[in-house]
Amino acid sequence: MATVTPDTSAPHVTEHSVTVSAPVSTVYDLIADVSAWPQVFGPTVHVEVIEEAPESGGEQLLRIWAIANEQVRTWTSRRVLDPEARSITFQQVVPAAPVASMGGAWRLEPVDDGTTRVVLLHDYRAVGDDPAAEELIEQAVDRNSRSELAALKNVAELGAARDELHFTFSDSESVAGAAGDVYAFLDRADLWPERLPHVARLDLTEDEPGIQHMDMDTRSLDGSLHNTTSVRVCFEDRQMIVYKQLRVPVAMSGHTGRWVIESLGDGTVKATSWHTVTLDPEGVRSALGPEATLAEARALVRKALGTNSSTTLRHAKQFAEDTRAGT
């Protein structure tokens, strides 16, 4: 029998930190709430909790989709939340190549002046201990860590004002057609310029099945064009598409969403478009004028996004119903 030599190479270790002018409880809650990560952290596209065991000290199994070195990577991580120690440890259990192993921790330290020092630790190894791969991982870890800490600081320091800036809404259509046909219409965004009146141009690339990159020009009611870039994760088996805009209109600092298709059991389906938006106060003043209120901005954003998504849903409905009718 061949002898297997144990891998004794030491992992690379990195440390990044930032001081946040907010209470430690506020900062900890933002890190603990993975549902908010796509809005808080720029690199994060989507997160799902696969397993949760609060009785075992807050242990969670997560599936994460995030951008690293301009590519969407997905991996599974296990993390343990310890609110008393103000720490959250994590370890990738199914890494994405070229990562062979990745772990780390968030550690929060309250400071006497009411601020919080946040330390983000990583330890990692590359597949085969390849130096080129290690350099790529180091670049991604450094870039994402700096981005995440800066975003965490910005959001935490908003305090109660965040409730005014952050909102979620939805629009739905009942469809007398097949869920698969509605999904197909939404999935084939490359055909939207031919199918949707408000889409002037759309470039779509799909480096791997289910991961789409979109560069889109949308036509407003006044005829002006607005460019956005987005990443979409498509779940055909669940009839769901989630997305994150990487380039957003000036009044926003973040925009994520999802398309959800539900069979109602009577031969019809419910198709819903969800939007979650975070406004940028300076962007609101720049776009709408110095006297503009956040309430006015919310109403305008709700109308603009809701009009476009409702139009898309109506065309998806027509497509599915025509397909069922054979027309």
Side-chain angles (χ1 to χ4, degrees):
M1 181 180 295
T3 301
V4 177
T5 303
D7 187 352
T8 57
S9 59
H12 294 263
V13 178
T14 66
E15 177 179 322
H16 296 80
S17 64
V18 70
T19 298
V20 181
S21 298
V24 67
S25 59
T26 298
V27 182
Y28 182 90
D29 288 346
L30 285 170
I31 301 170
D33 181 13
V34 294
S35 67
W37 281 13
Q39 286 293 125
V40 174
F41 299 129
T44 306
V45 176
H46 183 56
V47 183
E48 295 185 351
V49 179
I50 302 172
E51 296 176 7
E52 192 162 21
E55 69 280 358
S56 65
E59 186 171 320
Q60 294 177 321
L61 189 65
L62 307 177
R63 180 85 184 274
I64 300 171
W65 288 260
I67 298 169
N69 290 329
E70 300 183 354
Q71 287 187 301
V72 177
R73 304 289 188 182
T74 181
W75 62 88
T76 303
S77 284
R78 189 174 301 279
R79 69 174 192 163
V80 178
L81 292 82
D82 188 342
E84 292 188 5
R86 304 183 182 93
S87 72
I88 299 173
T89 59
F90 56 87
Q91 181 69 45
Q92 291 187 10
V93 295
V94 182
V99 176
S101 67
M102 175 79 75
W106 295 87
R107 294 179 182 169
L108 279 61
E109 305 166 3
V111 184
D112 291 341
D113 60 1
T115 62
T116 301
R117 182 171 185 265
V118 182
V119 179
L120 177 55
L121 301 169
H122 286 91
D123 58 81
Y124 62 87
R125 286 185 49 250
V127 174
D129 294 318
D130 177 19
E134 288 173 352
E135 184 176 356
L136 283 174
I137 297 169
E138 180 182 10
Q139 291 173 356
V141 168
D142 183 65
R143 183 182 299 112
N144 284 9
S145 296
R146 293 178 186 276
S147 172
E148 289 172 355
L149 289 173
L152 180 67
K153 175 181 174 68
N154 290 339
V155 173
E157 291 179 352
L158 287 173
R162 183 169 182 259
D163 293 337
E164 289 188 86
L165 299 172
H166 188 78
F167 60 104
T168 297
F169 62 91
S170 66
D171 298 287
S172 297
E173 281 282 349
S174 178
V175 183
D181 291 329
V182 178
Y183 178 87
F185 185 95
L186 299 173
D187 177 60
R188 289 300 305 272
D190 57 313
L191 300 178
W192 284 3
E194 306 166 22
R195 293 173 163 179
L196 298 174
H198 62 280
V199 178
R201 181 194 62 85
L202 194 151
D203 292 332
L204 184 144
T205 58
E206 193 165 6
D207 297 334
E208 58 181 280
I211 305 293
Q212 299 179 345
H213 298 259
M214 290 172 43
D215 188 319
M216 179 169 64
D217 289 337
T218 303
R219 187 178 292 107
S220 298
L221 294 176
D222 62 4
S224 61
L225 295 179
H226 299 274
N227 177 259
T228 57
T229 60
S230 305
V231 171
R232 306 204 310 175
V233 183
C234 305
F235 301 95
E236 185 174 5
D237 58 332
R238 287 188 271 164
Q239 308 286 282
M240 180 177 74
I241 298 172
V242 300
Y243 61 88
K244 177 171 185 170
Q245 283 194 349
L246 307 180
R247 183 186 297 132
V248 296
V250 67
M252 306 179 202
S253 63
H255 176 207
T256 61
R258 64 188 187 274
W259 302 94
V260 180
I261 306 160
E262 305 167 272
S263 295
L264 301 181
D266 58 357
T268 66
V269 299
K270 180 182 179 182
T272 304
S273 168
W274 289 91
H275 296 272
T276 297
V277 173
T278 303
L279 297 175
D280 174 18
E282 291 186 10
V284 167
R285 289 189 288 271
S286 172
L288 305 180
E291 304 302 320
T293 67
L294 293 179
E296 291 170 336
R298 282 197 300 271
L300 287 171
V301 169
R302 170 69 176 92
K303 181 178 180 181
L305 294 179
T307 297
N308 288 348
S309 58
S310 293
T311 300
T312 303
L313 288 172
R314 286 196 301 273
H315 282 75
K317 169 186 171 75
Q318 190 66 53
F319 175 82
E321 292 179 350
D322 287 350
T323 301
R324 172 172 284 183
T327 59

